[in-house]
Amino acid sequence: MGMTAAAHARHPKAALRRLEAWSALLGLLVALGLGTWIYQLTQGLRVTGMRDVVSWGAYIVTFAFFVGLSAGGLIVASAAEVFGVQSLKPLSKLGVLTALASITCAGLMIIPDLGRPDRILNLVAYPHWQSPLIWDVGIIATYFLFAAVDLTVLHRRDTSPTGLAKTVRVLAYIGLPTAVLLHSITAWIFGLQIARTWWNTALMAPLFVTSAILSGTALVAVAAIAAQRFAHVRVPEQTWRVVSNLLVVSLFVDLFLVACDYITILWGNVPRERAALNLILPGGSWQTVFWLEWIVGGVAPLVLLMTPRLRASRALVALAALLAMVGVYAYRIELVVGGLVRPIIQLPPGIAKGSYQSDKSSFVYTGGYHPTWVEIAIVVGMFALLAAFITVGYRRLKVLSRPTESHPVPGITVESPIPEPRKVLT
Amino acid sequence: MADGKRWGMVIDQSRCVGCWTCAVACKEINNQPLGFWWNRVLTAPPAPEANAPASDNIDVPAGEFPNLSLAYQPTACQHCQDAPCVKVCPVGATFRRDDGVVLIDYERCIGCRYCIAACPYGVRVFNWGDAKHADEFPVGYAKDYRSDGRLVFTPERPRGVVEKCTMCAELLDAGQEPFCVKQCPAGARVFGDLNDPASEVSKLVNEEGAQRVLDELGTKPDVFYQPAGRRDLTDGSAQSGSGS
Ligand code: SF4
Ligand code: SF4
């Protein structure tokens, strides 16, 4: 995607310059993230805001978010084939591209979280099959391979006249259950833990699947709108209607599931379960995530997507999609941190923090967590890497496949030629 | 690791005086860095509990004057039979020996901290950076210790791995009791073989009503607690039976 606004057909050079600026920005952010990670390697995880009570933070939040992003794309692509949603077909390839990019970033996101990244191959050398984390390693690797194969096949279909339609269909049938499994297993990392009442609910897997469809579709929508605006590719009206409907439905189901969880805890009023929720509900010290999830990422996108006049604007649909992603990210924070802040053991003096300050107690009841600049730089770098993957993939694979004489693509029209980049920045 | 043994511990809350000797002894023998507490003495209601704080501070009794009660619940790794930390460890770095002792292989741990999230008892600590010590030289058991070839204790902590109570595996394997048991000035800690019905720990568990913390979670700890108030301390004689 380029960065430019209108009418670069008239100024292809300006468009190219903006693309280069965008690529340079992404490159800079990725380099900063990488540099910060190297710094973290020299210091250990003490340069993060994590400690023994809140022992997972921004990295795991972002990991879970990226896994979610990856699903949606593939679900969009597969739904087009499996349920024959014709109007989603133009977005198939873009969907699979975002899926591949997101799952790659999700896998990479784990590395800075490890205390011993040098031992990461132990996951392969000594897998302990009872651990949901090992299931997740397996399904992420599978999903990565699957998305890579699927993207290759889709690309072949679009570039050569040979009939790969059947292969595409078969892959779609495999893709859908694989995506559902990926999200369920990632949910079970949390949902199976008896030590964390906030996580320990059977709702976790359905919640992850739903929020994945939501955030993944939102990512595809944002990428497609950017492509439409900057690369002058036209995605048919009908497709937008399906996409915004998918966003609305998944957002409703997502908020419904979260609300079910809240209500179960509130009505039951078991202190151990209330503890985490109290921090998140309005008035609690973590209430920001509540507002981000329910208002910024809930009510606002719903209004934008359900008001016909607002929905007609692509920019507002893109905004709604972005806000929905913010909401899902907020939910990931609510989940990961909310599960950890209040340990079950609530007796004085609390839990050892694992760090020492001569003027402070070494124990706490309720963990605090503020990401440090190190965590922020690394997470921002990973988001830039994700955007870079999608940008490069888009340019290389002509993802919103332009119709050619030998191979017309249904529903896609190009308003003007896309300027080719002079060089591809990676 | 003698055959067929299952090491267990019973902590008598009516004997514990909350002096933290065991916690400090544990820090010392294991050369624990600053800010690390494998073992901590919680101020608790009279029966083992996880969640009934009387106040935010230690040594503050529960209840309202004059009906006050105060007990202590020294808490370290409970050496669970169905240990969540063992189940979640993706690389099998945390493992349970046949004699019931749950240990961590410092050379295999990848530092994912999943076990910290999984342990209900909050007893695991992570080496976030390079360990800082109060002394300039290692204290306590100042050697590496390997169990079945796996490094389960080292005085110089590697950065980025998890650690916790080892039940003093190095002492157990040499036929001794855990250091906290030896050091407790009130004799509140009883250690022995839970598989031997004649052992004192078995009797306390089977006949004297010793309880597990968070029993409802089904983690089946091998560390038990005898509720305070079980004995009438005024004349110093122990009541028989499991009344409280
Ligand atoms: S108390 Fe925690 S660390 Fe110890 S065995 Fe049980 S779950 Fe594992
Ligand atoms: S931090 Fe180490 S011991 Fe704990 S689950 Fe991860 S690899 Fe296993």
Side-chain angles (χ1 to χ4, degrees):
Chain A
M1 289 149 282
M3 279 276 286
T4 172
H8 70 219
R10 274 171 281 138
H11 306 288
K13 277 203 184 132
L16 198 55
R17 232 173 286 131
R18 283 188 182 111
L19 175 70
E20 280 171 354
W22 169 244
S23 307
L25 174 70
L26 294 182
L28 183 72
L29 292 175
V30 171
L32 275 177
L34 200 64
T36 310
W37 180 54
I38 291 168
Y39 169 73
Q40 181 186 286
L41 283 180
T42 67
Q43 302 296 309
L45 288 172
R46 69 177 186 85
V47 294
T48 68
M50 299 182 277
R51 285 301 177 263
D52 282 338
V53 178
V54 181
S55 49
W56 279 345
Y59 300 147
I60 294 294
V61 168
T62 310
F63 158 75
F65 181 70
F66 283 165
V67 171
L69 288 185
S70 81
L74 215 124
I75 285 172
V76 167
S78 294
E81 302 291 334
V82 175
F83 304 117
V85 187
Q86 288 297 327
S87 45
L88 280 180
K89 276 199 178 162
L91 294 182
S92 288
K93 206 160 143 194
L94 184 63
V96 178
L97 171 67
T98 61
L100 182 62
S102 317
I103 201 69
T104 308
C105 290
L108 293 175
M109 194 68 245
I110 287 298
I111 298 172
D113 186 66
L114 294 182
R116 299 302 297 232
D118 54 318
R119 296 182 184 167
I120 190 163
L121 288 178
N122 282 3
L123 289 168
V124 189
Y126 310 103
H128 178 235
W129 298 107
Q130 215 180 0
S131 168
L133 216 61
I134 281 293
W135 311 342
D136 214 39
V137 169
I139 192 75
I140 287 175
T142 308
Y143 194 77
F144 172 82
L145 287 177
F146 176 82
V149 169
D150 202 11
L151 190 59
T152 315
V153 170
L154 282 172
H155 188 57
R156 288 255 174 80
R157 179 189 69 176
D158 290 354
T159 48
S160 71
T162 46
L164 279 168
K166 184 134 182 274
T167 318
V168 170
R169 261 185 87 75
V170 171
L171 282 175
Y173 273 94
I174 305 172
L176 215 47
T178 313
V180 170
L181 203 58
L182 170 71
H183 298 292
S184 304
I185 290 178
T186 308
W188 291 332
I189 290 180
F190 305 97
L192 301 183
Q193 295 315 315
I194 51 168
R196 309 286 167 181
T197 49
W198 184 240
W199 294 348
N200 195 213
T201 159
L203 274 182
M204 205 50 82
L207 237 168
F208 264 62
V209 173
T210 315
S211 58
I213 296 175
L214 172 60
S215 61
T217 310
L219 178 64
V220 177
V222 170
I225 288 169
Q228 175 157 316
R229 189 171 169 90
F230 302 129
H232 283 232
V233 180
R234 270 216 83 65
V235 178
E237 201 52 36
Q238 181 59 25
T239 303
W240 289 121
R241 216 161 302 144
V242 175
V243 167
S244 62
N245 286 346
L246 195 55
L247 286 176
V248 169
V249 173
S250 51
L251 188 47
F252 264 121
V253 177
D254 186 55
L255 294 178
F256 168 69
L257 291 176
V258 177
C260 288
D261 215 16
Y262 286 3
I263 285 165
T264 309
I265 294 170
L266 285 173
W267 200 89
N269 209 20
V270 179
R272 189 190 289 175
E273 298 182 350
R274 275 299 292 270
L277 186 56
N278 285 352
L279 294 172
I280 287 150
L281 287 181
S285 50
W286 282 86
Q287 59 170 325
T288 315
V289 292
F290 176 90
W291 298 118
L292 284 176
E293 183 186 5
W294 285 88
I295 305 301
V296 176
V299 174
L302 282 176
V303 169
L304 289 174
L305 292 169
M306 292 175 73
T307 315
R309 249 196 298 149
L310 300 178
R311 193 176 46 200
S313 152
R314 287 295 158 264
L316 289 181
V317 173
L319 178 66
L322 277 174
L323 292 178
M325 283 198 269
V326 169
V328 172
Y329 196 83
Y331 172 71
R332 298 288 194 260
I333 300 174
E334 171 181 325
L335 173 84
V336 174
V337 182
L340 295 171
V341 276
R342 275 253 162 178
I344 301 184
I345 301 265
Q346 287 288 314
L347 296 173
I351 306 262
K353 281 189 292 192
S355 66
Y356 175 77
Q357 281 167 285
S358 57
D359 56 338
K360 291 221 175 81
S361 166
S362 291
F363 299 93
V364 281
Y365 295 94
T366 302
Y369 173 67
H370 296 285
T372 58
W373 68 267
V374 170
E375 288 167 284
I376 293 170
I378 291 177
V379 165
V380 168
M382 288 300 297
F383 271 97
L385 189 65
L386 175 69
F389 278 156
I390 296 175
T391 308
V392 170
Y394 180 84
R395 302 294 299 186
R396 283 261 170 103
L397 301 174
K398 312 209 170 50
V399 159
L400 288 174
S401 3
R402 282 184 291 156
T404 59
E405 271 164 38
S406 61
H407 188 86
V409 174
I412 295 271
T413 51
V414 176
E415 290 176 327
S416 60
I418 302 170
E420 290 302 320
R422 276 200 299 266
K423 56 179 190 275
V424 178
L425 295 166
T426 48
Chain B
M1 278 172 288
D3 292 336
K5 291 227 192 313
R6 204 181 97 223
W7 297 121
M9 197 187 291
V10 178
I11 300 172
D12 189 338
Q13 292 187 280
S14 63
R15 278 181 173 266
C16 175
V17 294
C19 65
W20 285 70
T21 303
C22 54
V24 174
C26 177
K27 281 208 77 158
E28 191 201 325
I29 185 108
N30 293 303
N31 195 37
Q32 286 171 37
L34 291 170
F36 284 42
W37 291 91
W38 288 4
N39 183 7
R40 62 204 200 278
V41 181
L42 301 172
T43 300
E49 270 243 32
N51 204 336
S55 104
D56 278 354
N57 296 306
I58 57 171
D59 301 334
V60 174
E64 238 173 74
F65 184 81
N67 301 313
L68 298 174
S69 59
L70 177 63
Y72 295 99
Q73 183 179 311
T75 305
C77 173
Q78 307 284 303
H79 295 276
C80 311
Q81 291 177 47
D82 194 359
C85 61
V86 173
K87 287 206 263 189
V88 300
C89 180
V91 295
T94 293
F95 61 103
R96 186 171 182 270
R97 295 201 312 198
D98 292 340
D99 62 358
V101 178
V102 175
L103 295 169
I104 300 161
D105 182 341
Y106 286 166
E107 290 171 325
R108 182 166 315 168
C109 172
I110 61 172
C112 67
R113 310 185 298 295
Y114 196 5
C115 53
I116 298 184
C119 170
Y121 303 94
V123 298
R124 292 182 156 249
V125 276
F126 187 70
N127 286 280
W128 296 97
D130 290 324
K132 285 200 205 83
H133 292 274
D135 301 309
E136 273 154 26
F137 45 88
V139 295
Y141 191 88
K143 287 177 289 192
D144 285 0
Y145 184 71
R146 289 183 182 270
S147 175
D148 294 329
R150 305 175 72 170
L151 184 69
V152 296
F153 178 79
T154 175
E156 311 288 351
R157 299 310 202 287
R159 186 203 279 170
V161 300
V162 160
E163 57 183 73
K164 65 161 191 72
C165 153
T166 60
M167 215 173 231
C168 290
E170 72 279 6
L171 300 185
L172 295 187
D173 296 353
Q176 300 178 41
E177 295 190 317
F179 200 52
C180 58
V181 177
K182 281 194 263 187
Q183 296 303 316
C184 175
R189 289 171 177 263
V190 181
F191 181 79
D193 178 10
L194 289 166
N195 277 350
D196 172 7
S199 70
E200 198 184 346
V201 278
S202 293
K203 282 198 191 128
L204 291 171
V205 169
N206 298 330
E207 291 155 33
E208 303 274 333
Q211 300 172 17
R212 288 165 162 150
V213 179
L214 293 170
D215 198 17
E216 69 276 19
L217 295 183
T219 49
K220 300 206 220 53
D222 278 346
V223 174
F224 293 79
Y225 294 83
Q226 273 191 294
R230 189 182 50 90
R231 294 160 202 258
D232 179 359
L233 295 174
T234 47
D235 65 2
S237 64
Q239 287 173 3
S240 58
S242 59
S244 55

